[in-house]
Amino acid sequence: MKAGIVGLPNVGKSTLFNCLSNAKAQSANFPFCTIEPNVGVVNVPDPRLTKLGEMVKPERVIPATVEIVDIAGLVKGASKGEGLGNQFLGNIRETDAILHVLRCFENDNIVHVDGSIDPIRDKETIDMELQLKDLETVEKKLEKVKRAAKTGNKEAQKEEAVLLKVKKGLEEGKSVRAIDLTEDERKEFIKPLQFITDKPVMYVCNVNEDAAVEGNEYVERVKEAVKDENAEVLTLAVGTEADITELDDYEERQMFLQDIGLDEPGSAKLIRGAYNLLDLQTYFTAGEKEVRAWTVKVGASAPQAAGVIHTDFEKGFIRAEVIGYDDYVSYGSEAKVKEAGKMRVEGKDYIVKDGDVMHFRFNV
């Protein structure tokens, strides 16, 4: 699963990518520095994994990961191929969620492509380009569907009505995710078209260090502007986060964070936020060899969760032995959980819960 970092040039995208992945993407004071999308595989910070590792003392501890893609800066006219428009739009279409970075800081040394700081205008610039691209998609699809609808095809008529609603919304400047549609309509007609503006989004307000905790007036304006979008807004001092990442010593990093009033790096909140945005959750396996966090979609069944480890586990699934994370921690070990009768045996219909500690029985 991939989350793509987008934004206008010079808003702090590559700096954010660097501090998330520690992969030093070029970060320069001019547009289009990141031309090929850089991909970073980022560990998902999870204190539960650390705790299980301390209890079990395995040979290794392996966290869950999420892919973060740093995509070239977008400019006005991208939907018509301006700048690196077509490439940008192709790259963003391949991601599952969007981390939209907005410049909410003043700095005379870093040029803004539009000459002044206005995160709402910047957001609207990108939204409009993405909406125009989605409008192209819906218009192409409508041409085909209308022909089928004219022949009296009931399914095509139903689809035509939904697509016309989407077209109208996009023409009014709404993103697909903000258009009022039923769950069934989204599942049947919207999801297959992979609209860019239907992807879940988190707005990352890039601020100066002094606004890292409380935010600033720009951040408040962003929150107000996106309140109907069902989107998360995260305040992050990206430059400061990058400085913290440069420190090798854990204690030094903690002191730096405390000095600016943070209890953990904002990047950790962002990674967890991206994970939630992608509708992902974690289950654990815990043994002497390794304690490991595994990633599954919310709503995954026990066999599907087993299949993440190996396809044979899913094919030959017999049962899952499940311990809730809280039970594991409160009883102190797997053996004590079993003694207390708190280990459950679950079948094929079991829906995995976030934090389950699981052991699979299978036969191939």
Side-chain angles (χ1 to χ4, degrees), residues 185-358:
E185 286 170 341
R186 285 188 179 278
K187 199 171 170 183
E188 199 173 343
F189 306 121
I190 305 302
K191 287 283 177 246
L193 293 175
Q194 289 186 297
F195 288 113
I196 299 172
T197 65
D198 191 38
K199 296 178 190 293
V201 65
M202 177 195 288
Y203 294 99
V204 181
C205 295
N206 184 9
V207 297
N208 285 325
E209 187 178 308
D210 58 4
V213 179
E214 298 290 330
N216 58 24
E217 181 203 335
Y218 294 128
V219 175
E220 292 312 309
R221 284 173 57 201
V222 170
K223 285 179 179 172
E224 180 59 27
V226 308
K227 67 177 191 290
D228 297 332
E229 278 193 47
N230 194 21
E232 200 171 326
V233 178
L234 186 73
T235 305
L236 208 61
V238 175
T240 307
E241 294 276 338
D243 292 342
I244 294 171
T245 309
E246 294 295 328
L247 299 170
D248 293 326
D249 184 65
Y250 174 78
E251 301 299 328
E252 277 184 46
R253 287 203 296 269
Q254 292 308 108
M255 279 167 64
F256 197 145
L257 284 167
Q258 280 164 10
D259 284 350
I260 57 173
L262 295 173
D263 53 357
E264 67 171 347
S267 53
K269 287 183 184 139
L270 185 136
I271 295 161
R272 284 201 299 273
Y275 196 72
N276 293 334
L277 208 57
L278 292 163
D279 206 24
L280 301 176
Q281 63 179 5
T282 302
Y283 77 85
F284 303 102
T285 51
E288 286 174 14
K289 288 268 185 222
E290 69 175 30
V291 166
R292 183 165 181 161
W294 299 89
T295 300
V296 288
K297 290 288 275 184
V298 171
S301 66
Q304 286 169 332
V308 173
I309 299 176
H310 198 289
T311 49
D312 284 351
F313 283 27
E314 184 171 1
K315 283 181 200 155
F317 179 90
I318 300 170
R319 65 177 185 273
E321 293 165 358
V322 185
I323 301 170
Y325 171 77
D326 291 340
D327 284 340
Y328 203 110
V329 172
S330 62
Y331 287 98
S333 73
E334 187 176 317
K336 285 181 180 162
V337 171
K338 282 180 181 172
E339 270 173 41
K342 289 288 185 181
M343 190 175 86
R344 307 190 309 278
V345 175
E346 301 287 1
K348 289 183 175 179
D349 296 336
Y350 178 68
I351 301 300
V352 177
K353 293 184 179 63
D354 188 52
D356 278 348
V357 182
M358 304 184 80

Side-chain angles (χ1 to χ4, degrees), residues 80-149:
K80 302 278 180 283
E82 288 293 323
L84 297 165
N86 292 330
Q87 194 174 342
F88 170 97
L89 293 159
N91 293 336
I92 197 173
R93 204 180 282 287
E94 287 166 21
T95 64
D96 303 288
I98 295 170
L99 305 173
H100 187 160
V101 184
L102 294 167
R103 179 168 169 178
C104 296
F105 67 89
E106 306 273 356
N107 185 333
D108 295 339
N109 297 321
I110 300 175
V111 295
H112 189 292
V113 285
D114 288 328
S116 63
I117 310 303
D118 184 345
I120 307 306
R121 176 200 59 209
D122 296 354
K123 172 192 171 318
E124 285 167 357
T125 297
I126 287 206
D127 282 351
M128 188 171 75
E129 295 304 329
L130 301 183
Q131 287 160 5
L132 286 169
K133 204 68 192 167
D134 279 348
L135 196 55
E136 259 178 50
T137 304
V138 80
E139 282 169 346
K140 274 184 196 159
K141 184 68 178 173
L142 263 169
E143 277 174 34
K144 291 179 187 168
V145 173
K146 276 180 172 170
R147 284 198 292 273

